[in-house]
Amino acid sequence: MIIADLQPSSFIDYPDKISVVLFTRGCNFKCPACHAKKILDTDNNNIEVDSLWEYLKNRRIWADAVVLCGGEPTLQADILEFSMELKRIGYCVKLDTNGSRPDVLDRLITKQAIDYAAMDIKAPPHLYSNVCGVEIDLKKIENSLSILSRFNNYELRTTLAPFYGENKKSIRFLDEIDMVSAANWVKTVSGKTSHRYFIQRFISRQGGLLDPKMEQFAEAPDNLIKKVYYEVRKILPNCFIR
């Protein structure tokens, strides 16, 4: 595993658990409003693996879980073995994923290498590539959604982030019309409406976003968050604002 950085303690990344958050390097998406700019650069220094394991074994006294995020953790060749070792030393393991590698997700769930998963629903299908900054194979996203829907412990989430709109020139936020389309897509693909679905507020980070033009927006407006929430929960009732 190529680990770019870690957060020693988090009280919010794994529900009801204290977690260590590991940030894997690299991603196959280029979302313009991504906060992980510094860990997408493959030339930066990484955490040495042996010292990481020593740290995690010692940290087990204080932490219940490890969260694998990124970047995109499923790009790591040895993620299955790494996750199994985390479980062997007593951690619960959570995966944060963009859903682009359903084969890896399926393997992790089948092998019981993860205990919880969070998958990003970046946008409705017609805007997915705009929001992600690269061409997206939607069939893979749909396969991941179907796989995750059969897992017991998971959540779906969408960050209301700015992106280059339909003409790929003007910048706008995802709105309630977009998110109704996204929610209906989730319902159709998965065949269920009981997903725990989180609407997340975008908050800018000056000098830290992948595309500096996105930094002109301080955060997603309150009225937009509320409109999206009220519309999405009509389709996916277990919808929450985060």
Side-chain angles (χ1 to χ4, degrees):
M1 291 282 282
I2 302 174
I3 307 298
D5 201 358
L6 67 80
Q7 181 179 340
S9 297
S10 170
F11 298 91
I12 61 173
D13 283 275
Y14 196 123
D16 303 319
K17 296 187 185 300
I18 301 171
S19 63
V20 178
V21 183
L22 302 182
F23 298 89
T24 61
R25 190 173 299 286
C27 189
N28 51 351
F29 288 7
K30 295 182 180 178
C31 306
C34 178
H35 279 212
K37 179 179 178 180
K38 71 174 185 176
I39 66 169
L40 301 183
D41 182 357
T42 55
D43 294 330
N44 287 338
N45 293 329
N46 301 310
I47 297 174
E48 200 273 325
V49 175
D50 289 339
S51 62
L52 174 63
W53 279 117
E54 183 178 357
Y55 174 84
L56 289 171
K57 288 173 183 176
N58 293 333
R59 193 68 181 166
R60 179 64 189 90
I61 301 171
W62 306 103
D64 311 300
V66 171
V67 177
L68 302 177
C69 66
E72 175 50 43
T74 61
L75 296 176
Q76 302 293 319
D78 58 345
I79 186 173
L80 176 61
E81 295 77 10
F82 190 88
S83 299
M84 294 296 285
E85 181 62 16
L86 287 172
K87 289 180 67 66
R88 190 190 70 79
I89 62 177
Y91 283 108
C92 293
V93 180
K94 174 180 177 246
L95 173 71
D96 287 355
T97 182
N98 61 24
S100 62
R101 303 199 71 198
D103 54 331
V104 178
L105 178 62
D106 188 45
R107 199 175 310 128
L108 289 167
I109 292 174
T110 301
K111 297 290 185 180
Q112 298 182 339
I114 58 174
D115 302 281
Y116 193 89
M119 177 175 155
D120 294 320
I121 302 297
K122 296 288 187 180
H126 68 286
L127 292 175
Y128 229 89
S129 294
N130 297 60
V131 172
C132 296
V134 294
E135 289 300 314
I136 300 298
D137 184 346
L138 285 175
K139 182 54 68 176
K140 290 183 177 180
I141 306 299
E142 291 175 346
N143 286 346
S144 288
L145 179 55
S146 296
I147 291 164
L148 204 58
S149 296
R150 299 191 293 270
F151 187 42
N152 288 329
N153 299 312
Y154 72 94
E155 66 184 55
L156 305 176
R157 59 196 189 182
T158 300
T159 301
L160 297 186
F163 68 102
Y164 291 103
E166 289 81 353
N167 61 12
K168 297 191 177 180
K169 293 181 181 179
S170 60
I171 299 173
R172 70 175 182 87
F173 282 100
L174 289 168
D175 61 23
E176 65 273 22
I177 296 173
D178 301 325
M179 289 307 301
V180 164
S181 177
N184 278 316
W185 178 52
V186 166
K187 175 183 174 181
T188 299
V189 170
S190 66
K192 58 192 285 190
T193 60
S194 58
H195 313 280
R196 294 179 74 229
Y197 197 107
F198 289 90
I199 304 300
Q200 301 186 151
R201 181 190 301 274
F202 165 82
I203 299 175
S204 187
R205 178 180 297 171
Q206 293 303 306
L209 301 186
L210 198 58
D211 186 334
K213 291 182 181 177
M214 301 298 158
E215 295 173 11
Q216 65 184 284
F217 301 95
E219 61 181 45
D222 281 337
N223 63 333
L224 174 61
I225 298 279
K226 290 174 182 176
K227 281 189 211 175
V228 167
Y229 166 70
Y230 287 126
E231 293 302 321
V232 169
R233 71 194 296 254
K234 294 175 184 176
I235 303 160
L236 305 174
N238 294 326
C239 179
F240 308 91
I241 297 173
R242 175 182 283 160

